[in-house]
Amino acid sequence: MPSNKKEGIIFGLFMCFGMVLIMSVYNTALHGFSSFTVGSAVIQFVITFIIAFIVESIVEPKARKMALSLPYDKSKEINFIVALAFCMVPLMVLIMSVYGLILTALMIGIEGSIFTAYLKTVGLNFIVAFPAQLLIVGPISRWLLTKYVKPSSQLKPELID
């Protein structure tokens, strides 16, 4: 887990990249690949990544505060990871589903009630986002953080005689 603001930003970038990648592929598969082009996918990914990172930056402190207020054994890091996921994923899904619905409306249109479409989008996104965050993106992001970021930030400069 990140231990300072710099590590928190890097970890957030890792998490956003992984979640946007998984959710973009998932939602493209849901809506069909008929209008898929590599160029449009890259542009859509970049825009979605930026929006998701901004949303994550706003949601994460609130989710962290909620997770820390829950009654569980805080001495085990895994408990905090799961509690944070239970607080963070629903908030992110609720917000990013609005973005996804707007994108869907612009690209292929929405049939029926927008409220019904939103509820369906939230449900479909949550069933993939929660396990993806807990089982794939979270562990990979924590591994990347400890492998490539934390070792360099924890090195102590050697004294020269």
Side-chain angles (χ1 to χ4, degrees), residues 92-152:
M92 289 296 293
V93 166
L94 288 170
I95 296 167
M96 291 304 293
S97 290
V98 171
Y99 168 76
L101 201 59
I102 292 167
L103 200 60
T104 301
L106 294 173
M107 294 179 76
I108 61 174
I110 297 171
E111 294 180 23
S113 162
I114 196 158
F115 182 71
T116 304
Y118 177 70
L119 290 178
K120 179 181 175 185
T121 302
V122 167
L124 289 171
N125 285 336
F126 185 80
I127 63 172
V128 171
F130 191 70
Q133 198 279 336
L134 270 179
L135 303 173
I136 301 167
V137 179
I140 290 171
S141 296
R142 282 186 291 281
W143 179 80
L144 287 170
L145 185 71
T146 56
K147 179 84 172 157
Y148 296 105
V149 178
K150 278 195 173 202
S152 63

Side-chain angles (χ1 to χ4, degrees), residues 2-153:
S3 55
N4 59 46
K5 193 163 184 93
K6 177 187 166 199
E7 288 177 5
I9 291 169
I10 293 168
F11 184 73
L13 289 169
F14 290 158
M15 290 293 292
C16 277
F17 182 87
M19 290 303 293
V20 169
L21 181 64
I22 288 172
M23 296 308 293
S24 293
V25 170
Y26 169 66
N27 281 295
T28 300
L30 275 180
H31 298 292
F33 290 94
S34 60
S35 63
F36 179 83
T37 64
V38 174
S40 69
V42 170
I43 291 167
Q44 184 178 326
F45 179 86
V46 170
I47 293 167
T48 304
F49 176 80
I50 292 167
I51 290 169
F53 186 72
I54 292 167
V55 170
E56 188 269 345
S57 299
I58 296 165
V59 167
E60 193 274 338
K62 293 167 182 28
R64 177 178 294 274
K65 190 174 181 178
M66 285 191 306
L68 288 170
S69 71
L70 295 173
Y72 61 90
D73 179 6
K74 293 176 180 71
S75 67
K76 296 178 182 170
E77 188 178 46
I78 188 69
N79 292 346
F80 175 69
I81 290 167
V82 172
L84 186 59
F86 269 103
C87 295
M88 184 101 175
V89 172
L91 292 173
M92 289 296 293
V93 166
L94 288 170
I95 296 167
M96 291 304 293
S97 290
V98 171
Y99 168 76
L101 201 59
I102 292 167
L103 200 60
T104 301
L106 294 173
M107 294 179 76
I108 61 174
I110 297 171
E111 294 180 23
S113 162
I114 196 158
F115 182 71
T116 304
Y118 177 70
L119 290 178
K120 179 181 175 185
T121 302
V122 167
L124 289 171
N125 285 336
F126 185 80
I127 63 172
V128 171
F130 191 70
Q133 198 279 336
L134 270 179
L135 303 173
I136 301 167
V137 179
I140 290 171
S141 296
R142 282 186 291 281
W143 179 80
L144 287 170
L145 185 71
T146 56
K147 179 84 172 157
Y148 296 105
V149 178
K150 278 195 173 202
S152 63
S153 68

